Amino acid sequence: MNTKEIIDRIATDHFAEKEDILAVIQDNSNDEYLFESADRVRREIYGTDVFIRGLIEISNYCKNNCLYCGIRRDNREISRYRLTEPDILLCCDTGYELGFRTFVIQGGEDIYFSDDVLCSIIKKIKEKYPDCAVTISMGERSEESYKKLFSAGADRYLLRHETSSKEHYEKLHPEEMSFENRMKCLKTLKQIGYQTGAGFMVGSPYQTKENLVSDLLFLKELEPEMAGIGPFIAHKDTPFRDCKNGSLRDTLVMVALTRLLLPHALIPSTTALGTIDPKGRELGLKAGANVVMPNLSPVKFRKLYALYDNKICMGDEAAECRKCLERRVESAGYKIVTDRGDWRA
Ligand code: SAH
């Protein structure tokens, strides 16, 4: 079977064997065909709709020490900040005005954000904006904690698996972090009833093609409602400072294959993709992505939430970001909608 036939089969069956995926990854002569197929599958379910999520980066304090991440515990080069509840609500006010109907509360694993503190924030947002979805992305927590946040009104949770190989996971994380716990958290989140997001970095240090294949098969098995896929980008104050960044092509191929395997998934065209290429986010949308997550964090804190170097949109006020994105999304042939943008069965 040639690569085009393999792509056709994955696009119809939404299923693939290891060898199929490897063949598509290794043959770059049919990339355009792959992207067009992913776009067709996406349009069948979501049309040209692009959902926007207002990202609020609430803290860059983190107790973890992930080797790739710029806000890791051992990075003494950044000043640390956290937003207060009123700060966060102000970000939501701005976002709501601009048409955002999902707010994503993201941060490092900052113990200040206890269940009580987070639950209060979630409740306040939901009280003020009952027509909005709240997504939490605050890392690994206990089952009890995930339940409390869910009861407080959180609708979705983003927790990338980062890599589906235990061996690879252990090369990206310090010994005190556990692959098993990350996996357990993802299963718990699904069980509780969150729309759950998994995902991984493309081109992270030590990653093999086989790792990428297994990342896709893992997504297929877990069936998350959301899948975040972006290139690894080195950060100068981490042990991976000299490592090569993930490539545009490989990231787009992963996005497209994810769309073929999970036709209903909500897939962001990530800021990291826009960072490695000026047209990265547009290309991501054309390769099957249907979500963008612009930043609603106060501009004065933006540069402190640097997970990787050269992150884009550091200086733009939310309103500028929104306009810029609107143009970009339309230039790619899609339309931003004012909608919670829930997963569609
Ligand atoms: N603390 C939360 C949020 C993490 S930041 C959590 O653990 O889920 C969100 C994502 O940024 C991470 O899941 C990771 O995949 C990505 N990220 C971190 N460092 C990165 C880097 N150097 N390059 C690209 N993506 C990175």
Side-chain angles (χ1 to χ4, degrees), residues 59 61-62 64 66-71 105-110 136-140 157-162 177 182 199-202 228 230-235 238 240 245 272 305-309:
S59 172
Y61 284 88
C62 192
N64 285 337
C66 308
L67 276 71
Y68 45 84
C69 184
I71 65 169
I105 304 294
Q106 188 179 81
E109 291 195 17
D110 177 355
I136 305 293
S137 176
M138 297 292 291
E140 296 172 29
Y157 204 103
L158 299 178
L159 186 76
R160 289 188 178 176
H161 63 283
E162 313 296 0
M177 289 180 72
R182 195 104 186 150
F200 56 98
M201 288 179 288
V202 178
F232 159 77
I233 304 175
H235 185 291
T238 63
F240 290 159
N245 292 344
Y305 197 81
L307 307 177
Y308 46 80
D309 287 336

